[in-house]
Amino acid sequence: MKKTRVQSSLCLPQTVSLLSCGHSVFRYRRKMRLPYFRQFVSLSLFVSVGVFLFLNSTFKQPISPKLEAFAPGKIGELCESDGGGQKRIMFIETSGEKCLRPRQACAIESAARTNPDMTVYVYMAKEMPPGRPEMDRGEGLERHCETMEILESFTNVYIIRDSLPKHLVDTPLEPLYFNGNMKNSQYALQHISDALRVALLYKHGGIYLDLDVVVLRSLRCLRNTAGHTFILGESSIENGFMAFDRGHKLLKFFMRWMQRSYKPNERSVIGPNGFSRAFQMLCNHPSRVISDSAFDFKCHDNVNVRLHNKTAFHPITYFEQNRFYAENFDENELDTFNQSYSVHVYGSGHGAHVPETSLFAFMANQFCPSTYNLHLQGVYDF
């Protein structure tokens, strides 16, 4: 029996071989099916994304009210009225470098965000000062000029690049620096910073802050005040946060004390140790324990000074600084700052590692988000 081959009507036997005919049929069928395949893939992808978004929105843990409220404008203010002082916040950077470290920029951004009614001045040295810089190793110590672009975007932030020692002229500290005593010290870098903050406050008034803080609230009510804490049981008046009127007599007394008592080989001689000593002499404060949130002192020569206890500016002490860097911090840690204007983040300027689930990282994300977001984007390490 002769077998009959059924040929596709798409092929012409006289011009197309069987192989080429089969190939043509296959190509035809693939062309016919491809649009349906694309529709199937598109539909599957659409369904998958929809299911993911539904599950993500359904089962994602909501942010707790405590975490959500810990942010500028939501945290709750401690200042009930304007204190009447100069509306100036100042930072000092003495390294002579052109740009800032991200953690330094965080301090400035937090001050600008929480105090939009105040002007923030950042004094940056134009030249490398004498003395030896601290040889810190770790993370977050590299300088990035992106931080300058962030700060310059704030209308209340002014970067002042200047020859900083000139601000000591016409103060009791002028001869201490220009006669060479301070410049020749191995701690000249630290001593110049300690001297400049007092001189600038004396000349202009306002609030001085260290570059390793995070500002949480408005500072507008703080006037003629500083922070008190205890270090190894010893009473200490910290110089990392000071708010004083222009020409305040305590500042002048302190500068005169510096001039008489300066010891170039002692690192903190005109820092917290010196400030504490000058305050004790002027205000008869040998080692009084300050348990209240603030204590007003009537000092010699009608000088009035208010000291806040450690909660106001140093709620986590130097010896507890690991709390800033522990992973997966407990949100109840935020209760520590209920009565804090700012937080001195010990260790932040010395390269401590900052896990993204740590307390310091959360504070940065909330109070200096522009600076911290560049870290999250991989631009630099925070």
Side-chain angles (χ1 to χ4, degrees):
M1 179 182 293
K2 182 183 284 188
K3 292 183 180 180
T4 305
R5 183 183 300 274
V6 179
Q7 294 182 343
S8 169
S9 59
L10 296 175
C11 298
L12 297 177
Q14 58 271 44
T15 59
V16 183
S17 68
L18 180 61
L19 180 60
S20 63
C21 177
H23 182 61
S24 299
V25 173
F26 171 75
R27 290 175 58 190
Y28 170 76
R29 289 175 179 174
R30 185 174 61 181
K31 290 179 181 179
M32 292 292 291
R33 291 176 181 176
L34 188 56
Y36 297 102
F37 177 73
R38 286 177 176 171
Q39 292 176 10
F40 173 76
V41 171
S42 300
L43 180 61
S44 300
L45 182 60
F46 177 79
V47 172
S48 299
V49 172
V51 170
F52 171 78
L53 294 175
F54 172 77
L55 293 175
N56 189 53
S57 62
T58 303
F59 298 104
K60 185 179 180 180
Q61 293 294 329
I63 299 176
S64 73
K66 181 177 291 188
L67 294 177
E68 186 176 4
F70 196 78
K74 298 180 181 180
I75 192 172
E77 298 296 343
L78 298 177
C79 288
E80 297 180 356
S81 60
D82 193 318
Q86 285 82 18
K87 297 296 183 290
R88 295 170 52 95
I89 298 173
M90 66 181 72
F91 296 88
I92 301 174
E93 216 289 333
T94 57
S95 71
E97 300 285 351
K98 294 182 178 180
C99 300
L100 293 170
R101 297 170 176 174
R103 299 179 195 181
Q104 294 175 326
C106 178
I108 300 165
E109 181 184 344
S110 69
R113 287 186 180 275
T114 54
N115 293 270
D117 58 334
M118 302 182 73
T119 305
V120 180
Y121 295 93
V122 185
Y123 291 87
M124 297 185 68
K126 288 196 303 184
E127 64 279 328
M128 186 75 69
R132 295 183 305 183
E134 294 177 306
M135 301 304 294
D136 295 315
R137 295 181 179 179
E139 300 179 15
L141 299 180
E142 293 185 3
R143 298 175 184 275
H144 297 270
C145 291
E146 292 87 350
T147 60
M148 309 306 295
E149 297 174 6
I150 291 173
L151 297 179
E152 289 168 355
S153 70
F154 287 88
T155 58
N156 62 332
V157 174
Y158 291 85
I159 309 295
I160 302 173
R161 300 183 186 275
D162 208 349
S163 175
L164 297 186
K166 77 176 188 180
H167 296 286
L168 301 177
V169 175
D170 296 329
T171 75
L173 298 175
E174 180 179 356
L176 185 62
Y177 179 82
F178 290 100
N179 68 8
N181 284 355
M182 186 180 294
K183 289 192 290 185
N184 295 329
S185 168
Q186 63 175 322
Y187 300 112
L189 184 67
Q190 294 80 12
H191 291 169
I192 291 171
S193 176
D194 287 332
L196 280 170
R197 67 189 68 182
V198 180
L200 284 168
L201 276 178
Y202 181 75
K203 285 187 171 183
H204 303 289
I207 297 172
Y208 167 81
L209 292 170
D210 274 348
L211 282 166
D212 54 356
V213 304
V214 176
V215 182
L216 305 180
R217 294 177 167 91
S218 172
L219 309 177
R220 63 189 180 92
C221 62
L222 299 176
R223 184 180 182 187
N224 300 327
T225 188
H228 177 273
T229 187
F230 282 91
I231 299 178
L232 297 177
E234 293 291 329
S235 177
S236 177
I237 314 299
E238 293 296 304
N239 70 341
F241 184 107
M242 299 186 291
F244 287 97
D245 289 347
R246 181 189 300 114
H248 195 275
K249 292 180 179 179
L250 174 59
L251 300 179
K252 188 172 184 177
F253 180 85
F254 184 24
M255 288 189 290
R256 287 176 174 170
W257 184 92
M258 289 186 201
Q259 187 181 16
R260 294 194 307 267
S261 306
Y262 181 69
K263 297 177 181 179
N265 296 324
E266 292 186 15
R267 188 187 188 285
S268 61
V269 62
I270 59 174
N273 290 351
F275 192 34
S276 300
R277 180 60 179 157
F279 181 83
Q280 291 165 4
M281 294 174 64
L282 187 66
C283 301
N284 294 324
H285 168 62
S287 59
R288 172 179 280 167
V289 176
I290 301 175
S291 57
D292 299 329
S293 60
F295 194 94
D296 293 318
F297 286 84
K298 302 289 183 181
C299 308
H300 295 301
D301 202 16
N302 295 319
V303 174
N304 297 319
V305 180
R306 168 173 287 194
L307 290 187
H308 287 264
N309 71 0
K310 74 181 188 68
T311 304
F313 313 119
H314 308 87
I316 295 179
T317 67
Y318 174 84
F319 299 100
E320 302 171 311
Q321 62 181 276
N322 287 340
R323 292 166 61 183
F324 288 119
Y325 310 106
E327 295 188 35
N328 302 314
F329 80 97
D330 188 331
E331 67 175 42
N332 290 325
E333 283 273 26
L334 302 182
D335 295 337
T336 305
F337 311 122
N338 287 341
Q339 298 298 315
S340 300
Y341 294 94
S342 65
V343 180
H344 192 112
V345 185
Y346 292 101
S348 70
H350 301 286
H353 173 61
V354 184
E356 292 186 1
T357 58
S358 66
L359 175 60
F360 186 23
F362 175 73
M363 294 168 61
N365 191 57
Q366 298 296 93
F367 290 90
C368 58
S370 297
T371 300
Y372 192 69
N373 280 343
L374 288 188
H375 158 72
L376 295 178
Q377 295 171 19
V379 175
Y380 50 61
D381 289 331
F382 183 81

